Amino acid sequence: EPMIITIDGPAGAGKSTVAKEISRRFGYFHLDSGALYRAIGYACSLKGADLNNLQEVISVAKSIKIELTEEGKVILNGRDVTWEIRKPEGGYLASQVARFKEIREVVVELLREMAKGKKIVIDGRDAGSYIFPEADLKIYLTATPEERAKRRYEELKKRGFNVSYEEVLKEVVERDERDRNRPFAPLVVPEGAIVIDTTGKSLETVISEISQLIKN
Ligand code: C5P
């Protein structure tokens, strides 16, 4: 069995859902790398930091405490922000702070620390290309922008957030653009990754495809 499984891909491809389910079935710890960028972006907005000012963003990033629990909760300075950071605004804030090399270095160090001695499934944008290039199994999940926006929209609606499909689609497309075009550790298909297009596939189908890869 692989020790490190990476799942990368664009926004809303189902990475978190898949990572969570794989962790549950195979006994891995789920490292949601996006949650760290989201928590930092969210903390910046609470503190009124200028997202274009690296020094301000760094000082926020270094002054907060982020925890990822076994149950999949995101704790920021002792407060549960798991759902608060998933709003479209949270994705925007995350991708703004994720442009900075210095912020990425802080996050990567934290992730490597959290992973120590554990069997992990990590989902993100650069998990297989940059954070854990030595990973045993690398997956790249993708789907059409419309399908990805639809899934995210439905999940947010289910959670009681008042957003429109158009708003979610726009946010997803803009964010992919920003993630693919940033200079440091951009979104790419990692070398050696297995690409799975989930358009029109059920969660169960995707999970069983990945389960086969884990067992082989
Ligand atoms: O995966 P999630 O949608 O939660 O990620 C939010 C944002 O955080 C991404 O759009 C991206 O800008 C950033 N991110 C990143 N590298 C990762 C994970 C997330 O740059 N490994």
Side-chain angles (χ1 to χ4, degrees):
E1 255 186 17
M3 269 300 278
I4 300 179
I5 302 172
T6 61
I7 305 181
D8 291 300
K15 303 181 297 292
S16 294
T17 312
V18 167
K20 215 170 282 164
E21 189 54 22
I22 291 290
S23 310
R24 196 183 66 77
R25 292 197 194 178
F26 292 90
Y28 284 81
F29 182 68
H30 173 208
L31 268 184
D32 177 353
S33 64
L36 300 189
Y37 293 101
R38 284 175 184 266
I40 294 171
Y42 181 68
C44 284
S45 97
L46 291 181
K47 296 193 179 174
D50 174 0
L51 293 178
N52 289 309
N53 183 325
L54 173 62
Q55 287 318 316
E56 287 189 26
V57 176
I58 286 184
S59 88
V60 171
K62 295 204 163 151
S63 70
I64 57 178
K65 183 167 184 233
I66 310 167
E67 296 155 273
L68 302 181
T69 72
E70 290 280 347
E71 304 78 46
K73 292 204 181 316
V74 185
I75 312 293
L76 171 63
N77 292 335
R79 185 161 74 85
D80 185 342
V81 296
T82 314
W83 280 99
E84 193 59 29
I85 60 174
R86 312 243 167 247
K87 290 197 259 182
E89 169 79 3
Y92 166 78
L93 295 166
S95 69
Q96 289 291 333
V97 303
R99 292 173 302 163
F100 297 121
K101 180 172 190 272
E102 291 81 357
I103 295 297
R104 305 199 66 81
E105 287 168 346
V106 171
V107 168
V108 168
E109 197 169 318
L110 207 60
L111 288 166
R112 290 197 181 129
E113 195 57 42
M114 288 173 168
K116 253 184 206 149
K118 297 193 184 95
K119 275 171 46 176
I120 61 150
V121 177
I122 175 169
D123 74 293
R125 303 294 184 289
D126 60 343
S129 60
Y130 179 71
I131 311 177
F132 295 109
E134 76 281 19
D136 307 292
L137 175 60
K138 299 181 188 181
I139 309 283
Y140 187 89
L141 277 192
T142 187
T144 62
E146 291 74 19
E147 174 125 353
R148 293 187 282 114
K150 183 167 154 266
R151 290 181 196 154
R152 183 140 293 192
Y153 166 69
E154 275 163 8
E155 169 139 47
L156 287 166
K157 216 173 50 175
K158 200 174 73 191
R159 300 274 166 185
F161 289 110
N162 183 23
V163 291
S164 71
Y165 168 76
E166 288 70 25
E167 181 191 351
V168 175
L169 178 62
K170 181 166 174 283
E171 190 274 326
V172 158
V173 169
E174 284 179 2
R175 191 141 59 90
D176 289 347
E177 181 94 345
R178 209 174 301 119
D179 290 343
R180 288 197 175 99
N181 293 312
R182 67 175 173 232
F184 189 71
L187 169 63
V188 291
V189 179
E191 212 181 297
I194 292 158
V195 177
I196 303 179
D197 187 337
T198 69
T199 310
K201 278 185 191 167
S202 71
L203 173 64
E204 191 47 47
T205 302
V206 177
I207 296 289
S208 83
E209 285 179 23
I210 297 176
S211 300
Q212 285 310 315
L213 295 169
I214 293 174
K215 289 181 204 147
N216 287 332

